[in-house]
Amino acid sequence: VQLQASGGGLVQAGGSLRLSCTAPGRTFSNNAMGWFRQAPGKEREFVASISWKSFTYYADSVKGRFTISRELNRNMLYLQMNSLKPEDTAVYYCAAARGSSTTSRFSEYGHWGQGTQVTVSS
């Protein structure tokens, strides 16, 4: 199942963006969901995760600035990004975990989106 991420773009430092993710034809209401990102020349890194009961977990680098949320009835996942910094520049990926609890482990996610580019200018 391919997830579809959208909402990326170019924004100035200090600005905001909201990423969205959906999974056409499939629901993940019993699964945890997450966002990862990958900057050029770097490994993919964990950003945020949300459990099936909407408990959340964030990477230290985005805590207090990013908010992950989901709308189960619309099968949607979101990442609200505020106070963006140039170091947030990356391709952002949404993913569905195999389990229902939040996780930062790449290996515990079984379904991935195609990624959406976020560029933060200084």
Side-chain angles (χ1 to χ4, degrees):
V1 175
Q2 185 77 6
L3 284 75
Q4 294 180 355
S6 61
L10 174 63
V11 63
Q12 289 188 332
S16 298
L17 280 175
R18 187 196 197 199
L19 305 184
S20 301
C21 174
T22 188
R26 171 76 185 266
T27 60
F28 291 99
S29 57
N30 294 323
N31 299 74
M33 303 288 290
W35 289 96
F36 287 74
R37 66 186 181 186
Q38 188 166 18
K42 295 187 177 181
E43 293 186 352
R44 194 170 298 190
E45 67 172 0
F46 169 75
V47 175
S49 179
I50 186 167
S51 73
W52 73 294
K53 288 187 175 181
S54 294
F55 294 112
T56 58
Y57 176 56
Y58 297 94
D60 288 343
S61 59
V62 306
K63 200 174 295 182
R65 300 188 297 122
F66 291 10
T67 302
I68 187 171
S69 61
R70 65 193 302 176
E71 287 187 87
L72 293 176
N73 59 346
R74 296 184 62 202
N75 200 30
M76 294 293 296
L77 175 72
Y78 303 102
L79 184 68
Q80 178 66 44
M81 305 185 294
N82 299 328
S83 302
L84 282 162
K85 305 175 181 179
E87 51 263 43
D88 294 319
T89 295
V91 177
Y92 283 71
Y93 299 89
C94 59
R98 296 184 180 87
S100 59
S101 299
T102 59
T103 178
S104 62
R105 296 184 177 182
F106 179 90
S107 61
E108 295 189 11
Y109 288 84
H111 301 282
W112 292 86
Q114 82 287 2
T116 184
Q117 176 70 47
V118 172
T119 303
V120 184
S121 63
S122 58

